[in-house]
Amino acid sequence: MKKGLLTLTLAAIELAACGGKQSSATATAADSAATNVQAAELTNTYLSTIDSFLVNELGKHYAEGEYCVPTYTIVDVDSQRADDILVWGDFWVFNYNQAGDTLKCVAGGSHPGLMHLRKAGGSYEVTAFERVEDGSNNLPTAKKIFGTRYDAFHSINSNEEAREAARAAGLAEFVRKHGIKASLYQDYGWPAKKLE
């Protein structure tokens, strides 16, 4: 399987890092600056590690495809401890095969939860992943893992239109970044959609 990695845009991370809004009643310029610095750190350091984890640890459990494309929205980050950096997010993995100019989704799924990372030399590694469970344990584990961030997570996770837009944008970026000759993507049983 070709293991492709995706990097989200800084603007999307800045929005998600605050759940689309400030967590305190009064947002200050200092809060905004701290969020921008945190988002920049996230973009420059953690994302490639999260991408690798999603592709290599979670993507391998799905039907194999030519390309494994992670996509996600970061809900919040706590980087106060270098030995336990916390990244809450709505994480997804999709595997695709290429047929002509179309990337056909063969498998994929949702993996919301909390990633624990630590700095190891000049890079980062995922040391643990607390995953929201399926079925009747979904709500209790989501509330436990996300805590005070649950409403922000729920808002992101339950918005199918925004999630699909993020997936499409991420896949288009992946195609550009890797020079893949594809202009469409398609889920099984659905019409192909244009990659913008």
Side-chain angles (χ1 to χ4, degrees):
M1 176 187 309
K2 295 177 186 172
K3 305 271 193 225
L5 300 179
L6 166 73
T7 302
L8 296 178
T9 64
L10 181 58
I13 294 165
E14 287 175 342
L15 176 63
C18 298
K21 58 186 176 188
Q22 289 292 335
S23 57
S24 63
T26 57
T28 66
D31 291 337
S32 179
T35 298
N36 289 339
V37 168
Q38 185 180 61
E41 288 175 3
L42 181 66
T43 301
N44 295 327
T45 57
Y46 312 148
L47 291 184
S48 62
T49 301
I50 291 170
D51 287 343
S52 294
F53 180 83
L54 292 171
V55 168
N56 297 317
E57 298 301 321
L58 302 180
K60 68 182 181 183
H61 297 290
Y62 291 102
E64 190 172 329
E66 291 176 72
Y67 305 103
C68 184
V69 183
T71 185
Y72 43 84
T73 304
I74 302 300
V75 175
D76 198 7
V77 176
D78 179 348
S79 59
Q80 294 178 45
R81 293 179 46 201
D83 64 334
D84 192 20
I85 299 160
L86 308 175
V87 182
W88 290 266
D90 189 21
F91 305 102
W92 290 75
V93 178
F94 296 97
N95 288 345
Y96 297 90
N97 284 330
Q98 188 168 0
D101 69 343
T102 304
L103 292 178
K104 295 183 177 263
C105 187
V106 294
S110 172
H111 303 275
L114 170 61
M115 293 221 185
H116 295 258
L117 296 98
R118 75 171 170 206
K119 195 161 191 171
S123 63
Y124 292 83
E125 64 183 359
V126 174
T127 58
F129 180 47
E130 295 179 51
R131 184 173 162 190
V132 173
E133 295 179 23
D134 294 329
S136 62
N137 288 327
N138 181 271
L139 184 61
T141 57
K143 286 188 171 186
K144 179 181 176 190
I145 290 168
F146 285 93
T148 58
R149 299 161 185 86
Y150 176 78
D151 288 342
F153 160 70
H154 180 70
S155 174
I156 291 164
N157 183 259
S158 63
N159 187 334
E160 186 176 350
E161 188 176 309
R163 198 171 58 238
E164 183 59 25
R167 174 187 174 201
L171 185 55
E173 175 63 24
F174 178 88
V175 166
R176 278 191 296 277
K177 182 176 180 181
H178 295 281
I180 299 168
K181 302 290 187 208
S183 61
L184 302 167
Y185 72 102
Q186 183 176 27
D187 290 332
Y188 182 79
W190 291 89
K193 297 178 181 177
K194 186 153 184 58
L195 285 167
E196 302 283 334

